[in-house]
Amino acid sequence: ALVCESPEEDVVAIEVLIRSGALEESSPVSGITNIIMEMLQDRISLTPDGEDRVENAGAILKTSSELDYARVSIVCNSKSFPALLQAVAQSLQPRPVTSVELERARKRILASLSDSNGAMGQIYDIFRQTFYRYHPYRSSGKGSTLAVERLDPKAVEDYLNQFFVPNRIVVSVSGRVDRVAVEEMVRKHFTPLV
């Protein structure tokens, strides 16, 4: 864990980077990291009884899938920080992927794939395909509609178990925190991922 103590303001930023992205995906699972990040957003946000813990804490949660890595970003206060860090760790725990969970994430991803990026997005796509002609960065990393539609819970679960593991995860925390306490929390909550 990378920890930076900054006691001036009651704000804590959590960044979790997972070495998994479009570069790790082959064509049958293209877009799988996007699906997983949508699922993780729900797993982090929602308590077992359906409450939105992020909203209740007045925090901000963002998940994203890049070409090289997946990212979970949270900004919260120091009081809600321990519970939200634990929620992130629990969201990464090995467990079955349900078809309901997968369908909810799939709908959001398919909607985003059908949205046009506008002129700037199209220009960037052309640039990327031309500049990175022989490199994996050539792809957008979003996946294709067909590949996302074909993903099944078993494939998502297998990918999670292969790539979303401790030796591929970096946790960084900055803000009104105690370095020793954060390192202990990370050890406690993220070690069981093995």
Side-chain angles (χ1 to χ4, degrees), residues 81-170:
F81 160 70
L84 291 172
L85 183 67
Q86 183 177 6
V88 172
Q90 288 173 342
S91 75
L92 294 167
Q93 294 290 331
R95 65 175 161 183
V97 173
T98 67
S99 56
V100 171
E101 181 180 34
L102 177 58
E103 281 310 309
R104 192 171 42 236
R106 186 188 330 259
K107 282 181 186 176
R108 292 193 302 249
I109 293 300
L110 289 174
S112 73
L113 286 174
S114 67
D115 287 345
S116 172
N117 288 337
M120 288 305 290
Q122 291 172 356
I123 289 170
Y124 182 68
D125 285 345
I126 292 167
F127 164 77
R128 194 181 56 251
Q129 291 171 8
T130 304
F131 190 77
Y132 295 113
R133 182 175 297 169
Y134 303 109
H135 191 278
Y137 282 177
R138 182 175 199 268
S139 77
S140 70
K142 295 177 183 177
S144 69
T145 301
L146 186 60
V148 170
E149 287 173 345
R150 289 184 176 177
L151 289 172
D152 62 60
K154 177 78 170 111
V156 175
E157 190 176 323
D158 290 347
Y159 192 88
L160 262 168
N161 292 337
Q162 181 179 359
F163 291 102
F164 286 64
V165 293
N167 66 338
R168 299 176 70 90
I169 296 174
V170 174

Side-chain angles (χ1 to χ4, degrees), residues 12 52-62 73-77 80-81 84:
V12 178
D52 189 331
R53 71 169 54 94
V54 173
E55 186 175 307
N56 291 345
I60 299 169
L61 166 66
K62 182 174 189 252
S73 301
I74 299 176
V75 177
C76 60
N77 60 33
S80 59
F81 160 70
L84 291 172

Side-chain angles (χ1 to χ4, degrees), residues 17-101:
L17 299 176
I18 302 124
R19 197 177 71 207
S20 171
L23 295 180
E24 307 285 349
E25 300 172 1
S26 57
S27 40
V29 294
S30 177
I32 196 167
T33 305
N34 283 326
I35 291 272
I36 289 170
M37 295 315 291
E38 286 292 328
M39 289 173 32
L40 289 181
Q41 180 143 354
D42 288 344
R43 287 180 176 186
I44 295 165
S45 293
L46 302 176
T47 63
D49 59 353
E51 295 267 331
D52 189 331
R53 71 169 54 94
V54 173
E55 186 175 307
N56 291 345
I60 299 169
L61 166 66
K62 182 174 189 252
T63 60
S64 63
S65 172
E66 310 295 333
L67 290 171
D68 300 74
Y69 58 90
R71 176 192 303 259
V72 175
S73 301
I74 299 176
V75 177
C76 60
N77 60 33
S78 58
K79 181 180 176 188
S80 59
F81 160 70
L84 291 172
L85 183 67
Q86 183 177 6
V88 172
Q90 288 173 342
S91 75
L92 294 167
Q93 294 290 331
R95 65 175 161 183
V97 173
T98 67
S99 56
V100 171
E101 181 180 34

